[in-house]
Amino acid sequence: MGENSYPHETIAWAKQRLDELDGIISDVEKTSKGLSGSVRAEAEAALARLEASRASLRKSYDALRAEAEDLKRTAEDLQEALDAEWVEVETSFQSFLGALADQADTVRSIVAARAEAQRQAWDNSLKGLQDQAAETVDKARGELDAAIKHLSDEADKFQARIGEVKDAGDASWEAVKSGLAEAKAVHDRTINKIRGAFAKLF
């Protein structure tokens, strides 16, 4: 994962969680309205915890975005300094070529060698990024496929036990819930890896 893509991925992950939490809170609020007595009190307590979690996540998300923005500004400042120094490199190189004005073959040879070195560097960089992106996407796809298979297996077990005694049903339900949570975690990691792989290409 590139240093620049990691903060972006984390911000995207946090935003996704906040959006998901907004949906959960909305559903809990709607459902709570139809409840009464101790059940409603428990629902309201859960809602309060959810809202506190949302506030905490929002604070972390906002801090991360501000930090990423500072990092971006620092990177932009460094880029400007590098660009300014590169102007000096180009000026010096052109001065050197100017000093060889009466040696056209030498100048042609130097310019051709520089162009070849640039092309080779770009080719190497692009190939490295393509290989890394392909490897990351393939690995992430494999992890997601394995998680979906596991979830499917757990759902099949759950379906087979529906008619059994309540305890067995509860155990199966717990296995399915666990499988769903695992599949969601793998899905999230997969999406982040794929985003990271493609972020490196652009």
Side-chain angles (χ1 to χ4, degrees):
M1 205 173 294
E3 289 179 9
N4 291 336
S5 65
Y6 183 75
H8 175 74
E9 290 171 15
T10 305
I11 289 169
W13 179 90
K15 177 69 168 101
Q16 183 182 8
R17 290 301 173 274
L18 280 169
D19 291 345
E20 186 176 339
L21 185 52
D22 285 342
I24 290 169
I25 288 172
S26 177
D27 289 342
V28 170
E29 286 173 338
K30 289 175 190 171
T31 304
S32 296
K33 290 177 183 175
L35 303 174
S36 61
S38 64
V39 175
R40 182 173 182 135
E42 286 180 32
E44 288 175 351
L47 181 59
R49 290 194 309 271
L50 287 168
E51 289 172 339
S53 291
R54 178 172 57 185
S56 178
L57 282 171
R58 172 67 64 187
K59 183 177 178 183
S60 296
Y61 172 73
D62 290 343
L64 183 59
R65 285 187 57 192
E67 199 172 302
E69 190 59 38
D70 289 344
L71 191 61
K72 180 182 173 188
R73 278 193 293 274
T74 299
E76 288 170 352
D77 291 346
L78 287 171
Q79 184 66 50
E80 285 180 21
L82 289 169
D83 289 344
E85 191 58 41
W86 194 252
V87 168
E88 179 60 28
V89 168
E90 288 294 345
T91 301
S92 299
F93 183 68
Q94 294 304 320
S95 294
F96 172 72
L97 293 178
L100 299 175
D102 60 343
Q103 300 178 30
D105 288 343
T106 302
V107 169
R108 191 175 305 112
S109 175
I110 290 170
V111 171
R114 179 183 180 187
E116 178 57 26
Q118 284 177 332
R119 188 194 64 74
Q120 188 62 46
W122 294 338
D123 286 350
N124 291 342
S125 177
L126 182 59
K127 182 172 182 346
L129 289 172
Q130 288 171 332
D131 291 348
Q132 195 172 15
E135 179 182 329
T136 302
V137 170
D138 287 345
K139 183 178 177 188
R141 185 178 296 124
E143 288 178 4
L144 183 59
D145 289 346
I148 290 171
K149 182 182 181 330
H150 176 72
L151 178 60
S152 178
D153 291 346
E154 292 301 328
D156 289 345
K157 289 178 192 175
F158 178 69
Q159 183 67 32
R161 292 185 179 177
I162 284 181
E164 295 180 12
V165 294
K166 182 180 184 303
D167 289 341
D170 288 345
S172 296
W173 176 240
E174 287 303 317
V176 170
K177 285 196 318 190
S178 173
L180 281 169
E182 182 182 331
K184 183 171 179 3
V186 171
H187 171 267
D188 292 343
R189 284 195 310 269
T190 301
I191 294 302
N192 285 336
K193 286 180 182 180
I194 292 170
R195 281 183 184 147
F198 286 113
K200 292 174 186 174
L201 295 176
F202 302 104

